[in-house]
């Protein structure tokens, strides 16, 4: 039986962080055991905000190296850059004809920008380009071009997946056949949101991230910056309402967790101690991946080769899908 297809992508808009690692990279790579997997770097999505050619190119290499360092096997999975697959943009144009403007008006990220502009007495559409406004359509094309069965993403992408399904359903309804496979979001509910340095969701947009591949000293320094309350050393502390402990749980085994939990509850433990424990467990997990990342990022020719091979394999599948669609809709 043919394996099902899983696909996911990430924008090269900043250094990959711990939230991306647990919310996306790890669960997505887990799927390669069971699914045919396609992973990509959403560089045209990133272009909506990054206009500096050198920066977007460097960030794209960093994301590619992250995929590989986290365990992506380029023989088994397809790794490619979004911009390399011409068929994606043709599919986007087709999807546009079935996407109501009203649907785009309801996108959380667009609405949040408009709201923010209004609050700051600016024009509601200030800083909104059409790439950003139509972001969900390109994302739908990324997914639908491969007949993806599942799309592993963090919670914040749920609405984008609902929009993809909405667009695909109106197309299938119009042509009275399943031109496009209806995908399913695989949301990592158990991880929920990984918390950042300030206790909010870790996100590049909040400037509160712990980048995955910081050198050891910088990692320690950043962990020491995690915001804590002003409880004294003697006081008993609540592990279940603490950013340090919630990060610790992601890296530590059950025994380590139980041990630190009892230290929190007993009192006599300062925040500096908890942060040091967090640093140690985090560093132990991340240092082998960091070494691999550092090796890869110095080896851009290898990354280029992997991406070229991935683009060829992906393009072949997408060209076939587009030829089929063109014929079915009367353009072929
Ligand atoms: P950011 O919010 O930092 O810009 P992205 O939007 O690039 O992150 O997210 C890339 C992927 O990582 C998405 O699937 C997203 O849901 C996931 N992700 C991002 N931040 C977190 C987090 N704090 N916890 C869990 N998953 C996250
Ligand atoms: N919007 C996703 C994010 O910000 C990135 C992305 C683009 C994506 N196209 C996709 C994710 C297709 C899954 C499937 O994280």
């Amino acid at each position: 039986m043919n394996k099902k297809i899983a696909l996911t992508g990430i924008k090269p808009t900043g250094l990959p962080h711990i939230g991306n690692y647990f919310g996306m990279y790890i669960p997505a790579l887990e799927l390669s055991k069971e699914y045919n997997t396609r992973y990509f770097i959403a560089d045209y999505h990133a272009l909506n905000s990054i206009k500096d050619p050198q920066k977007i190119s460097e960030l794209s290499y960093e994301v590619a190296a992250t995929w590989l360092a986290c365990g992506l096997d380029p023989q088994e999975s397809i790794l490619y850059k979004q911009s390399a697959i011409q068929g994606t943009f043709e599919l986007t144009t087709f999807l546009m004809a079935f996407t109501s403007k009203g649907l785009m008006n309801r996108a959380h990220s667009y609405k949040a920008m408009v709201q923010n502009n209004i609050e700051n007495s600016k024009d509601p559409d200030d800083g909104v380009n059409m790439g950003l406004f139509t972001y969900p359509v390109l994302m739908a094309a990324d997914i639908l071009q491969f007949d993806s069965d599942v799309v592993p993403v963090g919670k914040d992408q749920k609405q984008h997946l609902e929009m993809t399904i909405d667009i695909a359903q109106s197309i299938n309804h119009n042509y009275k056949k399943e031109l496009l496979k209806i995908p399913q979001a695989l949301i990592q509910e158990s991880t929920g949101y990984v918390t950042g340095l300030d206790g909010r969701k870790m996100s590049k947009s909040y400037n509160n991230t712990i980048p995955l591949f910081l050198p050891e000293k910088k990692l320690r320094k950043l962990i020491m910056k995690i915001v804590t309350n002003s409880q004294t050393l003697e006081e008993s502390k609540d592990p279940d309402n603490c950013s340090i402990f919630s990060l610790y749980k992601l890296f530590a085994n059950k025994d380590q967790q139980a041990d630190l939990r009892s230290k929190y509850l007993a009192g006599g433990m300062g925040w500096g101690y908890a942060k040091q424990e967090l640093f140690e467990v985090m560093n132990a997990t991340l240092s082998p991946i960091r070494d691999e990342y550092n090796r890869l990022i110095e080896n851009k020719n290898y990354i280029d080769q992997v991406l070229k091979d991935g683009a060829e394999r992906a393009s072949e599948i997408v060209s076939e899908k587009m030829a089929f669609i063109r014929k079915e809709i009367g353009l072929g």
Side-chain angles (χ1 to χ4, degrees), residues 14 22 30 49 51 79 83 89 93 100 130 189 248 260 268 280 300:
F22 286 104
E30 270 292 304
S49 56
K51 311 294 205 249
L79 177 67
S83 57
F89 308 105
T93 304
S100 68
M130 285 305 285
E189 294 292 350
Y248 189 77
L260 189 61
E280 277 168 21
K300 300 228 166 55

Side-chain angles (χ1 to χ4, degrees), residues 10 17 19-20 23-24 153-154 156 192-194 201-204:
I10 181 162
H17 55 74
N20 303 141
M24 220 273 297
V153 280
D156 54 353
Y193 287 133
V194 176
K201 177 202 159 194
M202 185 178 290
S203 171
K204 283 165 269 184

